[in-house]
Amino acid sequence: MLMSIKVRVGIRVPKFPSVISGGIRILSEYNFDFGVQLDRAKLLKLIAFGVASPTELVRRLNMPRAKVFRYLNALIKRGWLVRKDGGYYLAATIFLVYRVREFGDYAVLEVLNDKGAIVDQKAGLVIINGKESPKACPRCPLLQECTNNIRSISKSLGITITSITPADAYLELISTIINEGLVKILLNDYIDLHVNNGL
């Protein structure tokens, strides 16, 4: 099932050559978790940096060709990628994650504020996957790089971040996108659910 949302209000979403559209895509938690597994995340990060050719992806990943194509096809099916003119591109600039819960007669769609991915010109694809302890940030050797990444991303999205540590800042960024952007979009727009009936 694919949800497509037309963005008209809320977050300003920049466009990148590695992204087929400059929009927001909401992935199921299952599809998100599939994409952020180590080898598939490496593949997505290369594509985010503009490596669209399957031949170049095989060379840079140093993986068997069949495995790379298997991953590419699976990532298309799960909503991460789009194939165009023989190349592979990310399907959106911002990937949010939802979980569906059943409560009796109701199905509740919950957009998670601790998982997501954002394309950045300098950092490539930044994956936020769960809450990390902000206490680890001061000791981390990538502290400055993470700080620069979050500044770059928040600036490109027009979002002001108040958190001190990158761990908190990434979560604040995702929460802001959900609360200030997605909520307004959902209040003012509609969602198309595309169901494949085997036709």
Side-chain angles (χ1 to χ4, degrees):
M1 196 178 302
L2 172 70
M3 295 192 331
S4 58
I5 297 176
K6 299 181 302 177
V7 178
R8 289 190 305 206
V9 295
I11 301 298
R12 178 182 77 209
V13 182
K15 290 198 173 191
F16 300 100
S18 61
V19 180
I20 209 72
S21 79
I24 298 172
R25 176 159 283 187
I26 307 176
L27 301 174
S28 71
E29 189 173 20
Y30 172 80
N31 288 338
F32 176 82
D33 289 343
F34 176 87
V36 299
Q37 296 300 311
L38 188 60
D39 285 345
R40 294 183 283 266
K42 287 180 184 176
L43 181 63
L44 291 170
K45 284 175 181 270
L46 277 175
I47 292 170
F49 277 120
V51 181
S53 158
T55 304
E56 187 63 15
L57 288 167
V58 168
R59 187 184 73 74
R60 290 204 189 189
L61 289 168
N62 196 22
M63 275 186 212
R65 183 176 175 83
K67 186 176 187 178
V68 171
F69 274 96
R70 194 167 56 248
Y71 283 165
L72 289 168
N73 289 329
L75 289 165
I76 289 171
K77 183 179 176 183
R78 286 170 174 78
W80 281 98
L81 297 177
V82 174
R83 185 162 188 205
K84 183 179 177 186
D85 300 328
Y88 293 86
Y89 301 88
L90 291 167
T93 301
I94 298 170
F95 294 91
L96 299 178
V97 182
Y98 72 89
R99 181 184 293 150
V100 177
R101 296 181 187 270
E102 289 185 46
F103 291 101
D105 294 336
Y106 298 95
V108 177
L109 189 146
E110 174 189 7
V111 181
L112 308 181
N113 69 353
D114 64 346
K115 288 189 174 188
I118 302 169
V119 178
D120 178 59
Q121 197 163 14
K122 294 177 183 174
L125 185 69
V126 176
I127 296 168
I128 297 105
N129 193 9
K131 291 179 170 67
E132 294 182 30
S133 171
K135 293 178 183 175
C137 283
R139 298 187 308 268
C140 178
L142 299 174
L143 174 63
Q144 192 56 53
E145 184 180 342
C146 280
T147 302
N148 293 342
N149 287 349
I150 193 69
R151 284 182 186 153
S152 172
I153 294 168
S154 60
K155 184 178 178 183
S156 70
L157 297 172
I159 297 172
T160 302
I161 298 295
T162 59
S163 298
I164 305 295
T165 64
D168 285 335
Y170 281 118
L171 294 175
E172 182 184 348
L173 187 67
I174 289 290
S175 292
T176 302
I177 291 168
I178 292 167
N179 295 334
E180 293 184 7
L182 185 63
V183 170
K184 288 179 186 174
I185 293 164
L186 292 175
L187 287 172
N188 292 290
D189 216 325
Y190 57 87
I191 300 172
D192 290 324
L193 299 177
H194 300 280
V195 181
N196 183 352
N197 292 322
L199 299 175

